[in-house]
C-alpha cells in the first residue's frame, strides 16, 4: 500500500483543491437570495474559516523540512488547528439556527461544544509559543506536541454531540434533510477511521464534502422559509388592503364629494382625483412584492388626508419632509396616519394637528407620525383588535421587506407618536 503520509505534492494538491471548492461554496452563499443576515454572516465566517484551515494544512506540507520556514510552519499549524475549532463552533450554531426555525431546540449542548472549542482555541494560541499541541524540530519538520492527542478528543466529542443532535431532533427535518445529516456524519466517521493510514488530509476532504452536503440542506431549509415568508407577506398585503378599503370611509368620502358637486365643482373634481389616487395605491399594493419610493407613499397619504379634511374642518396637517430618497413597503405609513386621525384627533372634540416628519440620520431614515389627539395606554394596544392588527401588519412588512422597525409611543390625553426606522443599507 502506498504511503500517503509522505506524498507531499499529492496532499498539497488535494488540500488546495478542497480550499477552492470551499471558495466556490462561499461565492454561492454570497450570491444567495436568502436575506437572513445573521445566518449569512455565520455561514460566510464558517466558509472563510474552512478555507484558512485548509490553506494552513497545505502550508504545513509545503514548507515542511526547512528550518528557515519554522515560523511559517507554526503559523500554518495555528491556522490548521485553530480554524478547525472555529469551523466546528460555527457549524453547530448554523445547524441549530436551521432547526430552531422548525421547533424549540435545547442550545445547552451546542453552547458546551462552543465552550470546549473556545478552550481548545486558547490552547492552540498558547501552543504557538510553548508547543503543547504542535512544534517544529531543529530539522524544520512539524512534530506533535505532548498534548496533541487532545485535539482528537475535541474532534470525537464534537462529532458525538452533532450525531446525537441529528438523531434527537430528526423530527424537525424532512426525510431528505435527515439523510443529508447522516451523510455528513458518515463522511466524518469514514475520515476518522482512515487516520491510521492517512492523516489528516482525508479529514479535510471529508469536511469540505460534508459542508457541500450541509449547505445543500441549509439552502433547502432556508428556501422553504423564504417561500413561507413570501406567502405570509402576500396574506399580509391582502389583509391590509381589505382593512384599508373600509366601507365607512368610502361612503363618507363619496358623500362629501356628492355635496361638493353643488357647492364647489372645482374642489369636488380635486376630491375625486384624490379618491382615485387613494384607491389606485391601495389596490396596486396587493400585487407589489417590492418597496416603493417614499414619494409615492407620501402621495397616497396626502390624498387620504385631503379627503378626511373635507369631513373634519378642525384637522390640521403639517408636513416636515427633510428626506424622501428612500424606499418603504407600500401602505406602511398610511395606516399609521389613519390611526392618528381616526383614533387620535377625531376622538378629540376640538380636533388637533397631525405632523408627518421624515429625516435622515447617520445609519437610517426616520419617518415620524405624530398627533396631539386623545392618546391611549400603550399596554392595552392588543385590546383594540383593529389598531393592533394594522400596527402588527405594518411592523411585519417593515421587518421582512426592508429590515425596518416600528415604535409606538402614546400618552393618554397628550397624543401618540409612531416612529419608523429604515436602515440605509436596505432602502
Amino acid at each position: 500500500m502506498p504511503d500517503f503520509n509522505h506524498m507531499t505534492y499529492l496532499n498539497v494538491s488535494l488540500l488546495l483543491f478542497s480550499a477552492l471548492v470551499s471558495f466556490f461554496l462561499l461565492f454561492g452563499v454570497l450570491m444567495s437570495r436568502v436575506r437572513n443576515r445573521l445566518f449569512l454572516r455565520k455561514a460566510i465566517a464558517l466558509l472563510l474559516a474552512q478555507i484558512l484551515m485548509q490553506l494552513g494544512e497545505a502550508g504545513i506540507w509545503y514548507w515542511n523540512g526547512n528550518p528557515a520556514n519554522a515560523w511559517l510552519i507554526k503559523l500554518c499549524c495555528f491556522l490548521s488547528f485553530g480554524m478547525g475549532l472555529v469551523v466546528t463552533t460555527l457549524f453547530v450554531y448554523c445547524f441549530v439556527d436551521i432547526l430552531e426555525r422548525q421547533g424549540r431546540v435545547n442550545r445547552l449542548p451546542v453552547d458546551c461544544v462552543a465552550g470546549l472549542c473556545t478552550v481548545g482555541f486558547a490552547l492552540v494560541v498558547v501552543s504557538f509559543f510553548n508547543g503543547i499541541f504542535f512544534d517544529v524540530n531543529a530539522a524544520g519538520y512539524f512534530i506533535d506536541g505532548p498534548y496533541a492527542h487532545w485535539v482528537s478528543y475535541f474532534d470525537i466529542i464534537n462529532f458525538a454531540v452533532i450525531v446525537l443532535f441529528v438523531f434527537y431532533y430528526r423530527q424537525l427535518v424532512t426525510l431528505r434533510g435527515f439523510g443529508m445529516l447522516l451523510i455528513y456524519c458518515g463522511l466524518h466517521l469514514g475520515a476518522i477511521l482512515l487516520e491510521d493510514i492517512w492523516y489528516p488530509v482525508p479529514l479535510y476532504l471529508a469536511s469540505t464534502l460534508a459542508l457541500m452536503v450541509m449547505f445543500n440542506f441549509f439552502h433547502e431549509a432556508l428556501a422553504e422559509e423564504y417561500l413561507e415568508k413570501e406567502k405570509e407577506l402576500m396574506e399580509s398585503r391582502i389583509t391590509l388592503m381589505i382593512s384599508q378599503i373600509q366601507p365607512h370611509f368610502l361612503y363618507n368620502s363619496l358623500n362629501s364629494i356628492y355635496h361638493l358637486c353643488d357647492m364647489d365643482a372645482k374642489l369636488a373634481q380635486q376630491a375625486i382625483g384624490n379618491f382615485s389616487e387613494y384607491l389606485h395605491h391601495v389596490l396596486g399594493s396587493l400585487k407589489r412584492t417590492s418597496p416603493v419610493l417614499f414619494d409615492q407613499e407620501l402621495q397616497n397619504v396626502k390624498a387620504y388626508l385631503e379627503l378626511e379634511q373635507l369631513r373634519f374642518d378642525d384637522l390640521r396637517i403639517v408636513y416636515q419632509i427633510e428626506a424622501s430618497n428612500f424606499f418603504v413597503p407600500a401602505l406602511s405609513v398610511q395606516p399609521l396616519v389613519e390611526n392618528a386621525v381616526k383614533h387620535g384627533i377625531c376622538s378629540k372634540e376640538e380636533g388637533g394637528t397631525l405632523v408627518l416628519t421624515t429625516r435622515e440620520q447617520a445609519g437610517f431614515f426616520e419617518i415620524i407620525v405624530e398627533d396631539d389627539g386623545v392618546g391611549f395606554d400603550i399596554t392595552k394596544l392588543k385590546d383594540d383588535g383593529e389598531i393592533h392588527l394594522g400596527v402588527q401588519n405594518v411592523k411585519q412588512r417593515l421587518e421582512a421587506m426592508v429590515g425596518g422597525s416600528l415604535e409606538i409611543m402614546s400618552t393618554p390625553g397628550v397624543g401618540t407618536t409612531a416612529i419608523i426606522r429604515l436602515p440605509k443599507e436596505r432602502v
Side-chain angles (χ1 to χ4, degrees):
M1 179 180 290
D3 187 358
F4 295 107
N5 288 323
H6 291 86
M7 296 183 178
T8 299
Y9 291 109
L10 172 64
N11 287 297
V12 170
S13 299
L14 288 174
L15 287 164
L16 291 178
F17 175 75
S18 184
L20 183 62
V21 172
S22 299
F23 173 79
F24 282 116
L25 280 175
L26 175 62
F27 181 77
V29 170
L30 292 172
M31 296 296 104
S32 173
R33 292 180 61 199
V34 175
R35 291 295 176 262
N36 188 320
R37 304 184 70 81
L38 181 59
F39 177 84
L40 278 182
R41 285 197 290 268
K42 290 179 183 176
I44 291 169
L46 167 60
L47 287 167
L48 285 173
Q50 173 85 359
I51 293 169
L52 289 174
M53 176 184 72
Q54 293 159 338
L55 292 177
E57 184 63 27
I60 296 173
W61 284 88
Y62 184 76
W63 282 301
N64 217 18
N66 187 342
N69 293 328
W71 70 274
L72 276 173
I73 297 172
K74 278 195 173 186
L75 177 61
C76 290
C77 287
F78 169 76
L79 291 175
S80 178
F81 283 72
M83 290 302 104
L85 295 166
V86 172
V87 166
T88 300
T89 302
L90 291 172
F91 172 78
V92 292
Y93 276 119
C94 285
F95 181 42
V96 169
D97 282 352
I98 291 296
L99 292 181
E100 283 185 334
R101 284 163 175 74
Q102 307 300 324
R104 188 176 179 85
V105 175
N106 184 358
R107 298 178 70 95
L108 180 60
V110 175
D111 291 336
C112 290
V113 168
L116 190 64
C117 288
T118 301
V119 172
F121 188 86
L123 292 175
V124 169
V125 173
V126 171
S127 185
F128 192 88
F129 302 99
N130 64 10
I132 60 171
F133 280 174
F134 54 81
D135 207 346
V136 179
N137 62 20
Y141 283 95
F142 159 82
I143 57 173
D144 287 329
Y147 298 99
H149 58 281
W150 284 16
V151 178
S152 298
Y153 297 155
F154 281 121
D155 291 338
I156 292 170
I157 292 172
N158 293 332
F159 177 74
V161 171
I162 292 171
V163 170
L164 290 174
F165 245 81
V166 168
F167 280 92
Y168 189 80
Y169 290 108
R170 63 187 181 277
Q171 73 277 7
L172 296 182
V173 296
T174 63
L175 182 61
R176 182 183 175 189
F178 181 63
M180 290 181 183
L181 292 170
L182 288 180
I183 292 172
Y184 173 87
C185 296
L187 286 168
H188 278 84
L189 180 60
I192 290 173
L193 294 175
L194 285 173
E195 284 186 0
D196 288 338
I197 59 174
W198 191 7
Y199 179 79
V201 173
L203 189 61
Y204 287 77
L205 293 174
S207 178
T208 298
L209 289 172
L211 282 183
M212 291 174 66
V213 172
M214 289 311 303
F215 270 93
N216 190 10
F217 167 67
F218 290 157
H219 185 269
E220 181 183 78
L222 290 174
E224 289 177 3
E225 180 188 2
Y226 180 80
L227 291 174
E228 185 63 30
K229 285 189 174 182
E230 282 290 304
K231 180 181 177 182
E232 289 176 1
L233 283 174
M234 177 59 74
E235 292 174 350
S236 174
R237 285 192 292 270
I238 293 172
T239 301
L240 185 60
M241 186 201 73
I242 293 172
S243 70
Q244 291 306 110
I245 307 179
Q246 298 184 36
H248 75 273
F249 174 72
L250 299 182
Y251 297 153
N252 290 335
S253 296
L254 289 172
N255 191 50
S256 298
I257 293 171
Y258 174 80
H259 290 291
L260 277 175
C261 289
D262 291 330
M263 299 185 305
D264 190 333
K266 187 174 181 179
L267 187 57
Q269 185 180 25
Q270 181 181 341
I272 291 173
N274 287 329
F275 189 68
S276 174
E277 173 66 29
Y278 173 80
L279 286 180
H280 175 74
H281 188 77
V282 170
L283 293 173
S285 68
L286 176 61
K287 58 186 178 182
R288 287 202 67 93
T289 58
S290 58
V292 299
L293 272 170
F294 173 75
D295 283 335
Q296 188 175 338
E297 179 75 1
L298 179 62
Q299 189 176 352
N300 179 61
V301 168
K302 288 182 175 180
Y304 165 78
L305 288 173
E306 287 181 23
L307 288 170
E308 289 291 61
Q309 283 182 311
L310 293 177
R311 299 168 52 217
F312 304 108
D313 295 334
D314 49 7
L315 172 60
R316 296 174 292 279
I317 311 297
V318 177
Y319 296 101
Q320 297 177 340
I321 309 301
E322 300 175 13
S324 61
N325 188 29
F326 58 90
F327 289 85
V328 296
L331 290 179
S332 57
V333 180
Q334 196 271 339
L336 303 177
V337 170
E338 183 174 342
N339 282 340
V341 173
K342 181 180 175 183
H343 301 283
I345 296 172
C346 291
S347 298
K348 192 174 179 181
E349 186 175 345
E350 65 273 24
T353 302
L354 182 143
V355 181
L356 177 59
T357 304
T358 65
R359 56 195 177 200
E360 183 176 358
Q361 303 287 16
F364 58 89
F365 292 99
E366 204 168 53
I367 305 170
I368 303 172
V369 179
E370 186 177 8
D371 69 76
D372 57 1
V374 296
F376 63 92
D377 184 351
I378 196 70
T379 61
K380 298 180 179 179
L381 178 62
K382 292 183 179 180
D383 296 336
D384 191 322
E386 184 181 341
I387 298 179
H388 178 62
L389 176 63
V391 169
Q392 287 300 109
N393 197 305
V394 170
K395 189 173 184 179
Q396 178 190 10
R397 290 184 304 115
L398 282 170
E399 291 174 352
M401 296 178 72
V402 293
S405 64
L406 172 62
E407 181 182 3
I408 304 289
M409 298 174 289
S410 187
T411 304
V414 177
T416 302
T417 301
I419 303 176
I420 294 175
R421 293 187 177 91
L422 307 164
K424 289 183 177 180
E425 61 187 31
R426 296 288 296 274
V427 298

